[in-house]
Amino acid sequence: MFANSRSVTSNQTGIHSDLDRVVRRHLQSPWRAPIADHDAQAFARLQQWRQAQGAERALILDSGCGTGRSSLLLARQQPEALVVGVDQSAVRLERASKRFQLPDNLLLLRADCAGLWRLIAGEGWQLQRHQILYPNPWPKSAHLKRRWHGHPVWPTMLSLGGELEMRSNWLLYLQEVRDALAISDIRAELSQLPMQSEPLTDFEEKYQASGQVNWRLTASL
């Protein structure tokens, strides 16, 4: 285990001053950017898989799943549900298929989360659970709109419903998510993860080994 992960550093010391304005603008103005072909193809694969596995089964989404470790844990914990791990990196997903024996109720899908969320929402699908573990924090103040809560896809993500769980080793990120949820009339809980808790991802394991505190946000959408 390599315990050399650096803590997040940022020129932003508090909640971004533009957060309220950005979130409200996205809530009022639907995002109409074109859907990429590769996202449409990934969604078609998801539709076929879900139909074959049983469309009546609960659907769980693990967005930004990386090497699929967290998705595999979910699939084992929820054998009656269908679990979809999504990541835009083919390399990471290929590593997952070599590293793990994947159960039948788990699909690892290469796609951009923003595009896939829009396609899922367009079909009116509702999630039982949605987890986004250790998203890219985009720590520079100028990058607020690249964070999920500052991105135009934010209202679409909320519309998917379910129990949301997000994790980060940068507390400010989740504090902003909590505030963005409050602006969206959704209450969230934020807590510190115990240092000895079972890591769900390789990132979390590395952060723990580096002595960093990890944080957890939960909300019912």
Side-chain angles (χ1 to χ4, degrees), residues 7-14 134-141 147 149 167-176 190 207 212-215:
S7 299
V8 176
T9 58
S10 174
N11 61 340
Q12 184 182 324
T13 58
Y134 302 95
N136 187 334
W138 292 105
K140 293 183 180 180
S141 178
R147 303 170 194 164
H149 49 281
R167 294 189 179 190
S168 180
N169 61 328
W170 189 32
L171 176 59
L172 185 56
Y173 187 97
L174 293 185
Q175 289 174 330
E176 283 194 349
L190 181 56
Y207 297 152
Q212 296 184 35
V213 175
N214 294 312
W215 302 87

Side-chain angles (χ1 to χ4, degrees), residues 59-66 68-75 77-78 83-86 106 113 117 127-135 148 157 160-167 200-201 204 216-219 221:
L59 187 63
I60 297 175
L61 196 59
D62 186 13
S63 294
C65 68
R69 178 174 173 176
S70 53
S71 304
L72 178 65
L73 289 172
L74 268 178
Q77 293 167 357
Q78 304 283 348
V83 177
V84 182
V86 184
L106 172 60
C113 290
W117 293 346
L127 304 179
Q128 180 187 80
R129 175 179 173 81
H130 190 183
Q131 63 182 32
I132 308 173
L133 306 181
Y134 302 95
W148 285 131
M157 190 201 83
L160 298 178
E163 296 299 316
L164 173 69
E165 177 170 349
M166 298 181 70
R167 294 189 179 190
L200 300 186
T201 70
E204 185 170 315
R216 174 177 182 256
L217 176 141
T218 57
L221 303 183

